[in-house]
Amino acid sequence: MGQAESRNTDAPLTDLRSFESRSAAFSGVIPDVPLTVVEEVLLNLPARHVVKECRLVCHEWKELVDSAAHWKERCRREGIQPCDASRPPDDWRQFYFITTKRRNLIKNPIADDEFQGWEIVENGGDRWQVENNRRPLPDNTITQCFVTSYRLCLKRQLIDLQKEGYSAAFMDQLQPHIKISDWYGPRRDCGCEYQICVELLDQKKNRLSVFQPEKVFIKSWNDEPWGHMIHVFKDYGPGVWFIRFTHGGKDTQFWAGWYGIRVTNSSVEICPAAER
């Protein structure tokens, strides 16, 4: 019995020594691993973990994660490159994250779900309608458009940048470009007008910046060309929380039905500043 008691007494001591040994081995001392090996490991981890966790391990890892070379190599491996190779980005990490987050923030841009996602502001004449394209766009996979009538038709979307994953700090500090794109086209046999207004708004929805070009008028008996409206907001200052996108028009001959301007493939994108 005495021997049994001795074994039971020694077991916790042995476990304690084992625990202390293991604790010493993992007490924060980092093995002497070449930084080239560390970088290869980091390049195969998700970027958000590299920034939020790996960067905090030690001073050497922080310098590695903060280096332009690391993010330039990550961009190369993932096929993310500036549109103009002769004008590389000033900040490759910023360029990487903005590019990988990039997407069209307009919901239902090509009328796949009727008017889902759009707020109808003006619904004149015979109201808005959805039709198949009379003439293909350069991207021939887009086959539908929104069509206006003989009185003014306008629709809009309000984009909440916070809900889309772009924080106020992100927008204020990085000032990424905001690219607007919209396609519009007439019928051959009827004149029409097109208008667009895109506003950058603050937290209280006060206007900070606006793009509102003159109305586009197209005469009847045209070749039904598609026009492409593009604008890029730059250096717009701090405070942008919302983007309000409004467009539409009407026909200019007051014909019953849907002879007004057609609009489709609208987009609002947050872009890297390296894209000109």
Side-chain angles (χ1 to χ4, degrees):
M1 182 175 295
Q3 291 178 349
E5 289 178 356
S6 177
R7 284 195 299 269
N8 290 337
T9 302
D10 290 343
L13 182 59
T14 303
D15 291 344
L16 178 59
R17 288 170 180 164
S18 176
F19 173 77
E20 290 174 344
S21 177
R22 292 196 301 270
S23 297
F26 295 96
S27 60
V29 178
I30 300 172
D32 187 14
V33 178
L35 283 181
T36 53
V37 175
V38 174
E39 181 169 26
E40 187 62 31
V41 172
L42 296 181
L43 286 167
N44 284 278
L45 293 175
R48 65 183 183 279
H49 294 312
V50 169
V51 172
K52 292 183 177 180
E53 297 160 12
C54 301
R55 184 176 178 273
L56 306 179
V57 170
C58 64
H59 179 72
E60 288 77 11
W61 286 28
K62 179 181 181 298
E63 285 190 345
L64 184 59
V65 172
D66 288 347
S67 69
H70 174 84
W71 295 99
K72 187 174 182 179
E73 176 61 16
R74 186 178 283 268
C75 286
R76 186 192 69 79
R77 293 190 183 194
E78 298 184 25
I80 300 170
Q81 295 298 320
C83 294
D84 185 351
S86 67
R87 305 180 71 175
D90 296 328
D91 187 327
W92 279 93
R93 180 166 69 175
Q94 178 191 119
F95 174 76
Y96 174 85
F97 279 108
I98 295 177
T99 303
T100 52
K101 285 170 67 73
R102 182 175 179 174
R103 65 196 187 281
N104 187 3
L105 302 179
I106 291 286
K107 307 294 189 270
N108 187 29
I110 56 176
D112 282 338
D113 298 312
E114 294 287 326
F115 293 92
Q116 186 71 30
W118 293 95
E119 176 191 356
I120 303 300
V121 182
E122 298 286 349
N123 215 9
D126 286 324
R127 300 170 172 262
W128 280 98
Q129 178 68 287
V130 171
E131 291 184 359
N132 291 330
N133 292 336
R134 295 169 58 86
R135 186 169 183 168
L137 273 78
D139 181 352
N140 58 20
T141 64
I142 299 166
T143 59
Q144 293 187 131
C145 58
F146 302 96
V147 189
T148 62
S149 191
Y150 59 88
R151 290 193 185 277
L152 184 61
C153 295
L154 293 174
K155 60 184 177 70
R156 70 185 178 193
Q157 284 193 33
L158 181 68
I159 298 167
D160 186 332
L161 293 174
Q162 314 293 306
K163 291 182 178 179
E164 296 294 339
Y166 298 96
S167 68
F170 180 93
M171 296 300 297
D172 290 352
Q173 295 170 15
L174 301 187
Q175 291 283 290
H177 291 177
I178 302 174
K179 184 177 181 180
I180 310 303
S181 174
D182 200 29
W183 289 85
Y184 60 95
R187 280 182 59 114
R188 180 176 182 273
D189 50 358
C190 187
C192 57
E193 71 174 57
Y194 162 78
Q195 60 181 278
I196 183 172
C197 177
V198 185
E199 304 159 279
L200 305 186
L201 310 175
D202 67 14
Q203 188 175 4
K204 296 182 179 180
K205 298 185 176 64
N206 296 314
R207 180 187 286 184
L208 298 175
S209 184
V210 62
F211 169 65
Q212 189 172 19
E214 294 184 359
K215 297 176 182 178
V216 177
F217 292 91
I218 303 175
K219 296 180 180 180
S220 58
W221 305 113
N222 54 72
D223 294 327
E224 298 190 46
W226 282 104
H228 192 194
M229 185 67 70
I230 300 176
H231 177 72
V232 179
F233 287 97
K234 306 175 185 178
D235 303 320
Y236 42 81
V240 175
W241 281 56
F242 301 94
I243 302 172
R244 186 159 56 206
F245 181 103
T246 308
H247 68 168
K250 62 180 182 178
D251 82 39
T252 55
Q253 295 177 226
F254 209 70
W255 289 0
W258 298 277
Y259 290 83
I261 199 72
R262 282 118 169 88
V263 291
T264 191
N265 200 26
S266 310
S267 70
V268 173
E269 297 177 300
I270 306 299
C271 304
E275 178 173 303
R276 299 300 196 272

